Structures are given as C-alpha cells and as structure tokens.
C-alpha cells in the first residue's frame, strides 16, 4: 500500500486502513495494488538506468541499485549524475529519492531516510547514517520493534553495543546488516543483466531520430568496441545494441555471429537489417553497444585480399547474415561419426558450435593420426559407399505391402509408399545391421534390421529394411532414397 | 543502347572463319545480354556429347539452373563434386529427407563442405538462396523450393548469381515437368533415374544453346568422377554395375 504526494498532504499515510482513509478524505482515489505490473515497471526502469551504468539491479519492490563505479565522469561527476538521474525520473513522472554512498547498505538507508539526495564519502558514512532510524538497516519489523522497546531507535545507537551479545540477542542477520552498512563486510549484489566486459557508449546532446544518424552512431560505436576487442585479442560472438529513447523506453537489438569476429563492416552489415525495424520514437539520446559474449581471436589477417583464408572468412560472414535472419539453430553442417547404424553415421552440427577443426594433415600428435587412420580403415571396410542412399529419411516410413512378402525374406514385390505404387524390378540384399548393444535407442527397439536396395519399374531406387527377424509379423520401412 | 562495334577484315567470303574473332564476338554479345559480369568458370559435364551443345561448354557459372525430375539430388551432388569450396543447401524445414553424407561421398562430394540451411516457406528459401548467390563464398547454392519459381523470382536469383559469380541450382524433386512457366534461369534440365543406377538427362531449355532439346542416358563413373554416357544396349537384364539383381 502506498500513498502519493497529494494524499500525504491530505494526511494519509501508508498503513492506514481504507475506512479511515475514506473518513479523512471522502473523495480518495483507490487503486488496487498490482505487484506483477509494478515489478515489470521497476525492471524496465532498471533497464533504463543502464544509460548510467551497465550494472543495475532491482532491489525489492521499490528500489534500484546502480553501481556507478567508473561511470560518473561520463556525466561530469557524481553530483551531476545524481542530479541528472533525478531530473530525468521526475520528467518521466516518477517521484524518486536517491543517495550515493560507498556501501549498498548506507545508500539504501540514505535514499529512504535522508532529507535530500546526498552523496556520502567513504570516511563520513559512519556519522552520516548515525542519525537515521534503525529501519534503514533493512531489518524485519520484529527486530525493529524489539530494538525500539530498548530505546535503540537510531543506527548510531547500535555503534557502541558489543557485537557478539548484540548478534546473539537480535540475530546474526541484524548484526550483519549493520556491518554491511558500515562497510565492515562486503555485500555482493548481482546485476540484473550480465555486465559485458566490452562496451562502448555514445550520448547525443540533441536526441537523434533519423535512421542515417543511428547508423552513423552505430559505426562509431562499432569502431570503439572493435578497437577494445582487438586490444584484448578477442572477437565478438554476440553483440547487443541498446537504444535509450527520450521517452524513457529502451530498445534492444542483438546479433550473433557463427565465428568470433571484430570486422567493423561485417558487424555493421549484420545490424543494418535490424536497424530498419527500430522505432526511434521522439528521438534517441544514448546508444550503448556491448559484447556480452566474446571468444579468443588472434590478430587480424582479413584485410589482405586474395589470401588463402579469404574464402573461408567470407563464408563465415555469409553464415552470420543467414544466421541472424533464419536463426543459427537452422544452419547445420554434416559431420561424420563412427558408427555402423545408418542414422548415426552423420551428425548435424550447428555451424555456430563448430570450432575450427584440426585438419588431419596439420595434427602432429600420434593419437590424432591413429584416430584418422581408423576412420579411413572404417571407410574401406564399408567398401563402396555406393550402397548408401543419398538422402536419409529423418524417421523411417512404413510401407504398405500389396503382395505378400517373398519366401526368403525379400521385400514384397508390390507396395505402396507416400501414395505411390512401387513395383519391384531389381533388388539387392539383405545387408544385416544390428543395433549397437551399448545404445539404448528407441528406434532400434525392434532389433536387427535387414536392409535391401530395391529398384522399381520406373527406375526409382529406395533403401528398405525389414524390422525384426523370424516369426513375428514383418514390418517394412523406407529409410533412404538413392536418386 | 550500347552497340558492339567490330572491325571486319577487308577480304571476306572465302577466308576461313576466324575462331578468335567469333569467340570475341560471342563474348561481346554475351556482355550485352547479361547485365553482370560474364564468368569464365563453367562446370563441364565431362561428356563431350552434352558439353558441345551448351553455349559455354557446360553449365554456365554465375547463373541459376533449374532441375526437375526424380533424381535431382544425385545430379546436384555430382555437380557439387566437380567444384571446390563450400556448398549451401537451402531446404524447406518440413522436408523429411536430409542429404546423407555417405551417399554424397560416393558421388565424390565431400559432405563436410556442405552447409544445410533450413528455411520456413518459399520466401525464406528464396531469400537464403539470393544471399548465398550474391556472396562469393560458396561455390554452389542449391535450393529445394516446394513450389515452382516464377519469372520475377528467377530473374532476381539470376541477377544475384551474376553479381556473385556463383552457380545456383534449383531442384524441383518430382516437380511437374509438362507445362512450365517462363523463367529467367540459364537452363532447365530434367533428370530421372534409369534402370541400372544411371540418369536420364533431358535438356529442356538452355539460353544460347545450339539445340532446343536433347536427351542422354548417363551414369556416374566412380573411377573418373565424371558422368559418362551409357550405351543404349546396356539396359539388358542381367548383372549391372550397381549390383542389383532382377526379381
């Protein structure tokens, strides 16, 4: 329950019952509390505060933490930052109180119980919070009431008490809150979002709204960010562009890359498509570009045209463009796997997960050599790969036999599959494939399979198999296509 | 309108045809016909009987070709085998048959060069194909749309292929071959399986070809990695190269 400024002036206060409120002010406007909505609003406000620092966090139901270490100079000092924050918040229609202190606990108390927005240096924390009520220590109401029964109403009253009996009497939590406020123990607070180590920020004196201006701003940010990345010999895998609009809303654009990169034109290209979809509203006043996900990337060699690595590099850029539109989960490469089960001999590997594979020639270790040798021998053992289809069905599809199965386990000579009739003309088989005993594969629950290559009267070639062996009813499936 | 000017030799008539001159003329005309660059990298089939009919001596690079029929995958894989570099294959996400590595390998196409892009719907397939063609990175872009591609779309793809110098193949698996809409693709093929593991290759249309239509029976030659013509008499029952036996 909360009251606004006008209600407070009329004599209402939080905690008063509705009947009393109606008696005092008959035309009081009552709005039911909506905690979910408030929380969403507070979270959005915390994002908005990202314009000051990447490190923001929602505190309970009515507060936001900002860690402005190293950020204040961007706004002309701590006092200017605090003033800017409060001014903008009041323009947005919020009534807010703020305080800046060296510990979260002290800032919490000062923001709520100091008369004005204050900035408290580290060495004056102790006496500045001494006169504040003990509620400022984020204590439970039981503790606060038992403290006040003992006459301990101000934080300063607790300073002289010996810590051990105090902790025993009022709980370890209470003692710790005091320590936290005074900076005797540290108080870690997780930021709302992962704080990207690589960040670049640009603020505009006049809000910008034109798409060209935003593109130019982005280019500027990209240059700054890629410079940082290059100094750290890293490349971005995911980049976030945050636009702070003048009306207080925040817009975000995220692009991903298949391989680490710090090429400005390439990244600018990836952003370009998204920028057209952005709505700058009445104007954008701050743009922040950050790279939350980066990878080691050695020194650039991409600027030289016609290099050997040039072609692969630009395949990466193509994949990035496709991935940002289609989603990286839909781009796959085929990787061979050692297995004799048809569906296990290849794996679809998302291109974004694919690391640069060591090529067999470049791997000096004997262990690797052995592995490749065994792969090669496996291929030889398979004999000609011509016995494998060119397309494999993701799930084998059952056929409908028209004629009964031949006596020697050969496939039915006439069957129907996908609404088409197949009349067998030539066959080859069976090739017996048994499930690997160490696999618990549901698809292979039917046991051994007998594979046949068949060709029908029209020249269509399929890879069929018969599930199970012997007595039980035979079931035939199509598993692959040869054409 | 640019005009191709050419200095003709003084004595005409009895002189034998100057081959260089003809080639030069052809190039000029080709330059006028196509808006983009004319690429020299043609993918020859390696079968003289087919290649000699095609204006560029094979499948023109930097162009889009359309392939219909029931053996389009094998045909595309054998083309991919002739090229180096990455291959982008745009599939509809609803397709239940993925290209299968071991089978592709048998046609000489190393599946590790392949990147599969799963697209939702025709629009995404066309977009992906266009991006791939416009980029110089892939050597071949294969698309398998679920519907026929119209004139405007094919024109756009053809321009993208010319801009990037990339070869494009549009596969219409089992697509209707009878009446086809006009299209800007460089050539249209129909590939159907024949008995004995080969393909029945029909050239339906080809821009600038000396013939309008012809048919061949070919099969993939494991030893050379090229296609080879199959003798018409090879269709006898009995032992065939693919090891299948008559029922």
């Amino acid at each position: 329950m909360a009251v606004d400024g006008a209600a407070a002036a009329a004599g209402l206060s939080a905690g008063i019952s509705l009947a009393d409120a109606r008696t005092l002010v008959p035309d009081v406007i009552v709005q039911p509390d909506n905690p979910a909505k408030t929380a969403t609003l507070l979270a959005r406000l915390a994002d908005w505060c990202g314009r000051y620092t990447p490190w923001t966090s929602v505190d309970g139901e009515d507060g936001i933490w900002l860690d402005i270490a190293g950020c204040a100079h961007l706004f002309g000092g701590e006092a200017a930052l605090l003033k800017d924050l409060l001014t903008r918040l009041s323009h947005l229609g919020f009534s807010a109180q703020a305080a800046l202190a060296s510990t979260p606990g002290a800032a919490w108390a000062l923001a709520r119980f100091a008369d004005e927005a204050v900035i408290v240096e580290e060495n004056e924390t102790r006496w500045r919070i001494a006169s504040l009520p003990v509620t400022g220590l984020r204590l439970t109401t039981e503790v606060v009431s038992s403290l006040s029964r003992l006459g301990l109403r101000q934080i300063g009253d607790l300073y002289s008490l010996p810590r051990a009996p105090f902790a025993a009497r009022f709980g370890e939590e209470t003692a710790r809150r005091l320590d936290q406020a005074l900076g005797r123990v540290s108080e870690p607070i997780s930021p709302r979002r992962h704080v990207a180590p690589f960040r670049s920020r640009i603020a505009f004196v006049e809000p910008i709204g034109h798409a060209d201006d935003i593109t130019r701003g982005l280019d500027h940010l990209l240059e700054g960010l890629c410079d940082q990345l290059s100094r750290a010999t890293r490349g971005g895998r995911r980049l976030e562009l945050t636009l702070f609009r003048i009306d207080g809303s925040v817009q975000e654009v995220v692009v991903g890359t298949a391989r680490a990169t710090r090429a400005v034109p390439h990244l600018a290209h990836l952003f370009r498509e998204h920028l057209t979809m952005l709505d700058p509203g009445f104007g954008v006043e701050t743009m922040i570009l950050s790279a939350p996900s980066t990878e080691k990337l050695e020194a650039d060699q991409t600027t030289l045209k016609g290099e050997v690595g040039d072609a692969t590099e630009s395949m990466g850029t193509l994949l990035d463009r496709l991935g940002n539109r289609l989603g990286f989960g839909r781009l796959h490469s085929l990787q061979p796997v050692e297995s004799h089960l048809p569906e296990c001999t290849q794996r679809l590997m998302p291109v974004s997960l694919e690391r640069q594979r060591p090529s067999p020639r470049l791997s000096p270790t004997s262990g690797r050599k052995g592995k490749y040798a065994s792969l090669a021998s496996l291929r030889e053992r398979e004999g000609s790969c011509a016995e494998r289809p060119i397309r494999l069905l993701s799930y084998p599809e059952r056929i409908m036999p028209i004629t009964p199965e031949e006596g020697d386990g050969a496939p039915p000579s006439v069957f129907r599959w996908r609404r088409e009739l197949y009349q067998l003309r030539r066959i080859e088989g069976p090739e017996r494939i048994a499930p690997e005993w160490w696999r618990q594969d549901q698809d292979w629950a039917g046991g051994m399979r007998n594979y046949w290559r068949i060709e029908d009267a029209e020249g269509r070639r399929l890879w069929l198999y018969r599930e199970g062996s012997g007595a039980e009813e035979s079931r035939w499936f199509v598993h692959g296509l040869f054409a | 309108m640019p005009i191709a000017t050419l200095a003709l030799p003084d004595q005409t008539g009895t002189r034998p045809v100057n081959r260089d001159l003809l080639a030069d003329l052809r190039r000029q005309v080709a330059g006028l016909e196509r808006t983009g660059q004319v690429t020299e990298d043609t993918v020859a089939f390696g079968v003289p009987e087919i290649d000699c009919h095609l204006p560029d001596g094979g499948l023109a690079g930097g162009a889009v070709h359309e392939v219909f029929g029931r053996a389009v995958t094998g045909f595309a894989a054998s083309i991919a085998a002739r090229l180096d570099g990455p291959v982008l294959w745009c599939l509809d996400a609803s397709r239940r048959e993925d290209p299968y590595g071991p089978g592709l390998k048998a046609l000489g196409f190393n599946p590790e060069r392949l990147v599969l892009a799963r697209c939702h719907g025709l629009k995404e397939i066309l977009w992906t194909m266009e991006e791939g063609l416009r980029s110089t990175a892939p050597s071949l872009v294969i698309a398998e749309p679920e519907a026929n591609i119209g004139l405007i779309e094919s024109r756009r793809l053809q321009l993208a292929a010319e801009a990037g110098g990339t070869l494009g193949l549009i596969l219409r698996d089992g697509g209707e071959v009878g009446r086809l809409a006009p299209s800007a693709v460089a050539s249209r093929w129909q590939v159907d399986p024949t008995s004995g593991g080969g393909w029945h290759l029909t050239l339906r249309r080809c821009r600038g070809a000396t013939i309008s239509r012809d048919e061949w029976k070919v099969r993939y030659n494991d030893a050379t990695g090229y296609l080879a013509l199959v003798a018409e008499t090879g269709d006898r029952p009995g032992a065939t190269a693919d090891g299948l036996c008559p029922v």
Side-chain angles (χ1 to χ4, degrees):
Chain A
M1 178 170 164
V3 294
D4 69 358
L12 303 187
S13 62
I16 197 169
S17 76
L18 185 56
D20 290 348
R22 287 236 161 92
T23 318
L24 284 167
V25 186
D27 54 351
V28 68
I29 302 166
V30 180
Q31 292 274 359
D33 186 22
N34 186 343
K37 212 168 162 183
T38 314
T40 318
L41 183 66
L42 201 62
R44 270 181 50 202
L45 204 59
D47 284 349
W48 176 85
C49 290
R51 54 184 290 120
Y52 297 103
T53 165
W55 198 106
T56 67
S57 177
V58 172
D59 169 39
E61 295 169 350
D62 61 349
I64 296 172
W65 298 110
L66 303 183
D67 185 342
I68 60 152
C71 302
H73 68 280
L74 295 170
F75 301 88
E78 292 174 346
L81 189 149
L82 206 60
K83 187 161 171 276
D84 186 71
L85 172 65
L86 288 173
T87 315
R88 284 179 192 276
L89 280 174
S90 75
H91 284 330
L92 292 174
F94 293 100
S95 56
Q97 291 165 284
L100 220 159
S102 54
T103 64
W108 199 93
L110 288 162
R112 283 163 181 76
F113 298 102
D115 297 331
E116 51 179 359
V118 286
I119 298 171
V120 176
E121 297 299 326
E122 190 167 1
N123 52 10
E124 53 186 22
T125 308
R126 193 177 163 87
W127 69 265
R128 287 296 287 269
I129 64 169
S131 58
L132 302 178
V134 285
T135 327
L137 288 178
R138 293 174 281 170
L139 304 176
T140 58
T141 45
E142 293 83 46
V143 174
V144 171
S145 61
S146 63
L147 282 171
S148 67
R149 272 202 299 279
L150 299 173
L152 302 167
R153 297 210 165 76
Q154 293 183 345
I155 296 176
D157 297 342
L158 309 178
Y159 291 171
S160 55
L161 301 177
R163 194 185 184 284
F166 178 67
R169 172 76 174 78
F170 298 105
E172 184 59 37
E173 174 74 12
T174 313
R176 194 159 53 83
R177 286 296 190 200
L178 182 63
D179 290 342
Q180 282 173 344
L182 295 174
R184 287 199 286 241
V185 295
S186 69
E187 181 182 1
I189 297 172
S190 310
R192 191 173 134 66
R193 287 158 183 268
H194 172 66
V195 178
F198 299 98
R199 246 169 86 83
S200 134
R201 172 185 177 283
I202 186 170
F204 306 107
V205 181
E206 286 287 316
I208 59 166
H210 203 271
D212 287 351
D213 295 339
I214 295 178
T215 312
R216 221 165 300 146
L218 175 67
D219 286 347
H220 179 84
L221 290 176
L222 276 171
E223 265 162 39
L225 189 79
C226 291
D227 192 46
Q228 291 177 29
L229 288 171
S230 151
R231 259 179 280 146
T233 62
R234 295 187 79 80
R237 285 294 304 273
R238 202 159 69 85
L239 274 77
E240 288 177 4
L241 174 70
T242 320
L243 300 183
F244 295 87
R245 284 180 8 181
I246 195 161
D247 59 0
S249 67
V250 176
Q251 291 205 315
E252 213 174 36
V253 177
V254 182
V255 300
T257 62
R259 290 180 184 84
T261 177
R262 51 170 179 262
V264 176
H266 173 47
L267 291 169
H269 192 107
L270 293 184
F271 271 111
R272 202 159 299 147
E273 190 173 333
H274 297 286
L275 287 185
T276 56
M277 286 184 277
L278 281 179
D279 174 20
F282 294 108
V284 174
E285 40 185 5
T286 305
M287 289 168 73
I288 292 178
L289 181 72
S290 60
S293 169
T294 59
E295 266 174 23
K296 191 91 183 153
L297 179 68
E298 292 306 328
D300 296 347
Q301 289 195 344
T302 51
T303 44
L304 287 174
K305 279 273 177 204
E307 281 216 353
V308 184
D310 202 17
T312 55
E313 195 61 35
S314 59
M315 190 64 192
T317 61
L318 171 65
L319 292 179
D320 286 350
R321 278 209 301 284
L322 300 182
N324 278 297
R325 167 85 173 246
L326 306 174
F328 280 99
R330 292 207 257 143
L331 295 175
H332 296 276
S333 61
L334 298 181
Q335 297 218 320
V337 178
E338 280 188 71
S339 169
H340 66 266
L341 299 187
E343 56 266 64
C344 299
T345 50
Q346 77 176 13
R347 188 170 44 196
L348 289 174
M349 181 76 107
V351 288
S352 51
L353 294 181
E354 193 180 351
R355 297 283 179 272
Q356 283 177 342
R357 276 166 291 165
S359 89
R361 268 164 299 155
L362 295 175
S363 57
T365 57
S366 59
R368 278 232 179 275
K369 253 180 211 160
K371 190 186 161 209
Y372 280 98
S374 72
L375 255 176
S377 67
L378 185 84
R379 291 207 184 102
E380 276 162 31
R381 199 148 30 88
E382 277 177 1
S384 153
C385 293
E387 293 168 15
R388 287 289 173 262
I390 196 163
R391 298 194 91 123
L392 197 73
L393 269 59
S394 327
Y395 301 99
E397 290 175 20
R398 200 164 170 186
I399 62 170
M400 220 169 77
I402 305 290
T403 57
E405 186 183 325
E406 304 292 316
D408 53 350
S413 59
V414 183
F415 64 88
R416 195 181 282 279
W417 176 59
R418 288 191 181 174
R419 298 174 174 202
E420 288 194 55
L421 206 63
Y422 288 79
Q423 201 154 12
L424 254 58
R425 192 156 68 177
R426 301 187 309 137
I427 57 169
E428 194 252 0
E431 180 188 359
R432 188 159 290 183
I433 298 181
E436 289 158 345
W437 59 264
W438 60 91
R439 275 183 208 272
Q440 294 287 326
D441 202 336
Q442 204 58 47
D443 297 337
W444 284 79
M448 202 179 288
R449 295 176 181 178
N450 284 337
Y451 277 89
W452 294 78
R453 289 192 294 148
I454 65 113
E455 182 183 291
D456 85 331
E458 291 175 45
R460 293 178 289 193
R461 286 188 293 281
L462 300 178
W463 208 34
L464 296 186
Y465 73 82
R466 179 189 192 277
E467 197 175 77
S469 54
E472 76 261 37
E473 191 207 359
S474 64
R475 307 202 305 159
W476 286 89
F477 295 85
V478 178
H479 203 182
L481 309 164
F482 280 96
Chain B
M1 173 78 194
I3 310 282
T5 53
L6 184 75
L8 285 169
D10 292 337
Q11 321 97 311
T12 48
T14 52
R15 252 190 86 173
V17 180
N18 188 336
R19 285 196 166 273
D20 289 348
L21 192 68
L22 268 180
D24 198 39
L25 258 177
R26 282 215 181 95
R27 211 167 296 135
Q28 282 196 39
V29 171
L32 290 175
E33 279 180 343
R34 300 175 199 175
T35 51
Q37 77 228 50
V38 181
T39 51
E40 304 289 322
D41 37 42
T42 305
V43 186
F45 286 100
V47 183
E49 289 84 346
I50 304 178
D51 288 337
C52 71
H53 291 304
L54 302 172
D56 300 305
L59 278 186
V64 179
H65 305 268
E66 219 171 354
V67 189
F68 293 82
R70 282 195 292 249
V72 291
T73 311
F75 182 76
S78 73
I79 298 292
R82 307 290 316 285
L83 297 159
D84 291 323
V87 173
L88 178 68
W89 196 316
C90 323
L91 290 159
D92 198 286
S94 62
R95 276 292 287 254
R96 284 165 294 177
E97 309 102 37
D98 278 339
Y100 187 50
L104 296 176
K105 218 180 183 75
L107 288 172
F109 174 35
N110 180 2
E112 287 174 40
R113 283 167 50 206
L114 183 64
V115 174
L116 292 180
R118 266 169 229 283
C119 309
H120 289 303
L122 185 62
K123 264 193 185 160
E124 260 188 21
I125 288 190
L126 293 176
W127 178 84
T128 311
M129 185 178 197
E130 191 191 338
E131 284 289 316
L133 288 171
R134 214 172 274 285
S135 159
T136 51
S139 57
L140 173 66
V141 182
I142 301 171
E144 285 187 279
E146 302 275 281
N148 282 339
I149 291 187
L151 179 62
I152 297 169
E153 290 92 337
S154 64
R155 178 91 190 120
R156 204 177 154 84
L157 292 176
Q158 176 66 26
L159 287 174
E162 283 170 17
T166 313
L167 180 66
L169 287 179
I170 299 171
L171 307 187
R172 291 284 294 124
D173 191 13
E176 186 52 53
V177 207
R179 287 168 56 85
L180 287 175
S183 168
V185 295
S187 70
R188 265 180 172 161
W189 298 82
Q190 187 179 344
V191 188
D192 282 312
T194 62
S195 178
W199 299 316
H200 190 105
L201 207 60
T202 313
L203 178 61
R204 300 295 301 246
R205 221 203 66 175
C206 180
R207 207 195 300 155
T210 53
I211 49 163
S212 60
R213 177 196 170 100
D214 209 345
E215 300 179 21
W216 301 276
K217 261 187 188 176
V218 294
R219 63 170 285 116
Y220 179 78
N221 189 330
D222 292 334
T224 61
Y226 281 79
L227 299 178
L229 280 191
V230 179
E232 287 300 317
T233 50
D235 209 12
R236 279 197 307 263
T240 43
D242 62 353
L244 266 66
C245 304
V247 178

